[in-house]
Amino acid sequence: MIPVVEVYEQLKRNMPERIWWPAESEWEIIIGSILVQNTNWANVEYSLHNLREKTQFHPEKVAALPLEELQDLIRPSGFYINKGKAIQEIFFWLQDFTFDLAVIEDHYGTNLRKQLLSLRGIGEETADVLLVYIFDGVEFIADRYAQRLFTRLGVEGIEGYKKLKHRVYLPEDFSTAEAKEFHGLIVDFGKEYLKNDTTWAASFLADFSFDPLNS
């Protein structure tokens, strides 16, 4: 298992603090987590702007949008047909619980991740984002930035989301706030230092090494 807390502490010590996920409500996070699939955040922002203008991210208004109108609003994010269907399905599901996130969490308990994965358009990464940012869970989000980071740190055999996630150890006392911060720090680090060999060599983690017995 990879002792990732050492990396978290280095990131926290050397990176500026800021709030992640960049959104004003849980509903905006849910939508953003679907829209960002297979595109960049700049495109997502156009779609979020359109939805904000139309619905103010009131969940009842999002759920009430006709599918074709929803798809047109999110067109800038690409794959808008499938993403529109995914957003509609998850908001119909939330509507079944009158948009009460605490009730949903209590209803599914430890099966919540499995339930999220059963929804259209919700894969491993999106499910973990929702667990951490919406349902206050503690999960390691093994996204592409995380995979690139730990590959740079010399960890082998972590190609793909599941392989890295299964290698990660988070201590039992790791909090939701720390899980959010860890994810955000990795993304920020990746944007600044994981561009190429030169930026990596200039980073404060370039000389970091794991105890081989622990990784």
Side-chain angles (χ1 to χ4, degrees), residues 71-121:
Q71 290 169 335
D72 189 56
L73 290 168
I74 66 170
R75 187 182 292 264
S77 296
F79 304 97
Y80 60 93
I81 293 176
N82 288 331
K83 289 179 181 180
K85 291 177 180 178
I87 291 170
Q88 186 179 72
E89 179 167 323
I90 196 170
F91 273 82
F92 283 171
W93 174 68
L94 292 165
Q95 188 172 242
D96 288 340
F97 294 89
T98 63
F99 303 103
D100 191 322
L101 300 173
V103 169
I104 292 173
E105 190 171 2
D106 288 342
H107 179 79
Y108 289 103
T110 57
N111 291 318
L112 181 54
R113 190 175 194 273
K114 182 178 180 180
Q115 169 60 27
L116 290 170
L117 288 170
S118 75
L119 298 173
R120 183 187 189 106

Side-chain angles (χ1 to χ4, degrees), residues 20-22 31-48 74-79 83 144-145 187 191:
W20 268 83
W21 186 286
I31 294 168
S33 71
I34 294 171
L35 293 179
V36 78
Q37 296 170 10
N38 301 306
T39 192
N40 60 63
W41 191 254
N43 292 333
V44 172
E45 288 179 333
Y46 289 114
S47 297
L48 291 175
I74 66 170
R75 187 182 292 264
S77 296
F79 304 97
K83 289 179 181 180
R144 281 177 290 180
Y145 283 121
V187 172
K191 289 179 177 179

